[in-house]
Structure formats: C-alpha cells, structure tokens
Amino acid sequence: MPVTEKEILAALSKIQDPDLHKDIVTLGFVNNISVRNSNVGLEMVLPMPVFPAKEKMRQDAARAVQDLPGVSAVEIKMKFEVTGHTATDRTTIPGVKNIVAIGSGKGGVGKSTVSTNLAVGLAKYGARVGLVDGDIYGPTIPIMMGTRDVELKQRDGRIIPIEAHGVKFMSMGFMATGNQPLIWRGPMAHKAVQESLLNVDWGPLDYLIVDMPPGTGDVHLTLVQTVSLVGAVIVSTPQDVGLTISMKTFRMFEQTKVHPLGIIENMSYHICSHCGEREEIFGHGIVAQESERLKVPFLGEIPLDINIRKYADKGVPIVIADPGAPSARAYLQIIERLATQISVRNLDFKPIQIIEEPDASPKKFTV
C-alpha cells in the first residue's frame, strides 16, 4: 500500500529548524508532496537565501521519509522564499519585504563598507537586494559600488535605482558629484531621505539595506518615522570610546522601538602581512561582551584588512572580489547570521501600536 501524505508530514514533523525552534511542517517549509508508486517527491521552501543547516535538513528529511514503509526513493528540491516583515505602525514600500538599518555612533567605523558588503553578499546568495545611502552629507556608496559618474534617471515621476553587483541602490552622492557638498538644513535632509525610500522604483526586494549616517539626528528619526523596519544592526569598533558612542545609536533605536538584529565588531583584529601574527590594534572582544550583556545577538567580527579598503576604492566589494579571503568569509558568516535573525524576527513579530496623545506630548509605545 503506498505511503500517504499524512504519514509523510508526520515523519517530517519530527525535524526541527535549529534557529526557529519549530518543526519544518509547522513552519510551512514542506510543499508539493507527490507519491508515485513507491517514489516520493517534495519541495522544501526555506525562509532565507543562505541557510547553514540546509544540507543537513535535506538529508534528515530524506532519511525520515525513506524509513517509512512502502517508500523506495525520495527526491527533495530545495528553494528559498524570504519571509517579509508585516507591520501596521509605519508606511510600507510596495514589493519590499524587509528594511534593515545599519547604524553606528560615530564616523570612521566602516559602517558604509559593512552595509555594501552585506547587500552585495545577500545578492550573491540569490536574494533581491536594494541599498540606500542614507548618509546625506557624506555619501560613499557610489564609490564602493563602482558608479562614481552615473546619472540618475526617472520613469513616470519615480527615480530608477542604479544597479551594480546584483544590487539596486540609491545615493545622494548622485546629486552632488565629486567634492561638491550638500549644504542642506534639516527639513531638506528629511525630504531627501523620504525621496530615497518612497520615490524610488525598487521593484520586488527581499532586503533593503539602509546605510545610516553616524549619530542620532534628523535622518535617523526620519527613517524610523517614515517606514517600518524589520530591525537595525549596530557597527562598532572594539575601543571603549567607539562602543560607548555606538551604544547611543543603539539606545536611539531602542527608544523608537526598532528591533535590534545584532551588533558587529569591525576592525576587530589585524593579521600582519609579514609575520602572520594577529594584532588586536583597537582591543578585542568588548563588543561581544556588550552584546551578551544587552542580550542582543553578536553577529560577528571583521578584521582590519587592507584589501577591504583596496577593493572598496576600486568599486568591487571584497565578498565578490576575493570571496576566499578571511575578511570576506567573516562577512559571509555575518550575512548568514543576519538572515537568520531577520527570519526569527518575522516569525516572532508582534505589531507595535503607536498611540498619539491629542497634545504635543511625546509618543507612547505599547505592544
């Protein structure tokens, strides 16, 4: 007697996702089960493009079905469909599933380099990715993406994003090329951020990475008040002063009810090119300790590597310029962890309701 779909689902329900901590049937990973004589076929649709336990999960699922009476062969096709962030408290961008802010307390910590490599790395795994250069006064993304002299175009009144390395992106750097400054007051910066988010023809995106300027000013408030973020990532260096200032940005996101997806320690250590000795120039480990204290995921550490800078200057992020380099592997590991945290967040998310008092008193946030 051939095996039934109910029996197959019962067998697969014993397999758990190691990060989401629920079985793959409950999570909706199992689709399109077919039974032909003693041959079973099915699809497993994973919620993110990079899934560290993907092969083990496939093997465990095949073994569980293979052990059922009446089954002689099992074929499992693996796909991914990124889960989206659902919220009612902010504007959503049509077709964009997850908006992620990348912030830091001070300049010079490598936040834009991190944002660029995260975006390009996610695209490398097959995700549809957008990138917004939210650093209005010091935009660097066009340089790092190799598009210094590109001009923006419009279609039906909407900005067409520039594309490079599989990523769609928008930057105020296209408005003031070379060394020309943007001398804008707060309201103009506010409008520029809104235009970069809402008036760009992004199309369908799995992730939209927003590279924030340092600090906790107008641009940050505009972002959190304009669109619904799945969460934020903080980039810090290991020095006490760097972490102390980065924590101000963390507290800003906390006070505006933006979920912390994790913290990254950049410039964590340096490997001497002559002797191979590891040098912890700015110290090491303080960011991981702080993330543990705050109970916020530590996404990983990135070394101080001259090749990161060289490839950024050439407009080719290191994750694709030299994917085998230790620094590129560090980025790819962080990408895995970030994608996992976004999936966990989307699974556990409860919309936040914002209650505004009739007078001009501060907003209150309730869950």
Side-chain angles (χ1 to χ4, degrees):
M1 185 174 178
V3 68
T4 66
E5 181 174 323
K6 183 177 180 179
E7 291 171 324
I8 294 170
L9 290 173
L12 293 174
S13 66
K14 298 175 183 177
I15 300 171
Q16 289 228 336
D17 180 286
D19 298 301
L20 302 179
H21 306 296
K22 291 187 178 182
D23 70 86
I24 62 175
V25 175
T26 299
L27 290 169
F29 290 2
V30 181
N31 288 282
N32 298 327
I33 296 175
S34 64
V35 180
R36 295 183 180 178
N37 299 321
S38 61
N39 299 322
V40 175
L42 59 93
E43 284 183 349
M44 287 184 62
V45 183
L46 304 178
M48 51 190 173
V50 49
F51 200 89
K54 174 181 175 180
E55 186 56 28
K56 182 180 185 303
M57 187 175 289
R58 189 192 68 78
Q59 292 175 358
D60 289 348
R63 192 176 300 114
V65 177
Q66 185 79 58
D67 289 343
L68 292 172
V71 176
S72 61
V74 180
E75 180 182 3
I76 299 178
K77 294 181 180 179
M78 306 293 284
K79 301 170 59 178
F80 78 87
E81 180 65 36
V82 174
T83 53
H85 177 65
T86 303
T88 58
D89 61 314
R90 298 284 189 273
T91 300
T92 57
I93 302 176
V96 177
K97 292 184 177 181
N98 299 288
I99 305 175
V100 181
I102 311 292
S104 66
K106 61 190 290 293
V109 302
K111 173 185 49 55
S112 296
T113 307
V114 170
S115 298
T116 303
N117 277 281
L118 292 183
V120 172
L122 284 165
K124 173 185 170 73
Y125 283 115
R128 299 167 298 182
V129 185
L131 175 62
V132 173
D133 191 349
D135 196 344
I136 302 298
Y137 302 110
T140 56
I141 298 298
I143 297 172
M144 296 182 184
M145 294 292 280
T147 55
R148 295 173 188 253
D149 301 320
V150 175
E151 292 186 5
L152 289 175
K153 297 180 180 179
Q154 292 192 1
R155 179 173 54 226
D156 299 327
R158 293 170 63 81
I159 299 169
I160 302 173
I162 305 301
E163 293 193 43
H165 311 307
V167 173
K168 298 178 179 180
F169 65 99
M170 170 62 188
S171 171
M172 285 297 108
F174 297 125
M175 305 293 187
T177 58
N179 59 4
Q180 295 301 310
L182 285 174
I183 306 174
W184 286 354
R185 293 187 183 275
M188 294 181 69
H190 171 86
K191 183 170 178 56
V193 173
Q194 289 185 321
E195 289 286 307
S196 297
L197 291 166
L198 304 178
N199 197 38
V200 175
D201 187 6
W202 292 112
L205 294 179
D206 296 312
Y207 306 99
L208 180 59
I209 307 295
V210 183
D211 175 34
M212 304 292 291
T216 55
D218 289 342
V219 172
H220 301 75
L221 292 175
T222 297
L223 177 68
V224 301
Q225 292 171 356
T226 299
V227 294
S228 179
L229 301 172
V230 67
V233 174
I234 301 297
V235 180
S236 180
T237 50
Q239 312 115 298
D240 284 341
V241 64
L243 181 60
T244 298
I245 299 174
S246 291
M247 285 303 99
K248 293 180 182 293
T249 302
F250 173 82
R251 295 301 180 193
M252 184 274 294
F253 283 128
E254 183 180 57
Q255 290 176 24
T256 52
K257 300 298 180 182
V258 176
H259 181 77
L261 294 168
I263 305 177
I264 295 171
E265 182 175 280
N266 196 25
M267 307 180 195
S268 183
Y269 57 90
H270 173 254
I271 303 298
C272 178
S273 58
H274 298 290
C275 66
E277 182 179 348
R278 173 170 168 151
E279 302 171 307
E280 296 172 354
I281 298 173
F282 301 120
H284 177 262
I286 188 174
V287 177
Q289 293 171 12
E290 185 69 7
S291 68
E292 183 177 0
R293 186 185 72 81
L294 294 170
K295 295 181 171 50
V296 173
F298 180 61
L299 298 179
E301 52 190 39
I302 302 165
L304 183 64
D305 181 356
I306 191 172
N307 287 320
I308 295 177
R309 193 272 303 165
K310 284 182 177 180
Y311 286 123
D313 287 348
K314 293 178 181 178
V316 186
I318 196 168
V319 291
I320 54 174
D322 189 4
S327 51
R329 292 200 302 270
Y331 271 120
L332 295 174
Q333 187 177 56
I334 289 170
I335 289 166
E336 292 178 0
R337 293 170 179 167
L338 175 59
T340 298
Q341 289 303 317
I342 292 172
S343 293
V344 171
R345 170 62 173 160
N346 287 336
L347 181 69
D348 295 339
F349 176 67
K350 295 179 181 179
I352 299 169
Q353 180 183 5
I354 299 182
I355 302 173
E356 293 196 35
E357 300 296 332
D359 59 14
S361 59
K363 295 177 181 179
K364 296 181 180 180
F365 298 86
T366 59
V367 178

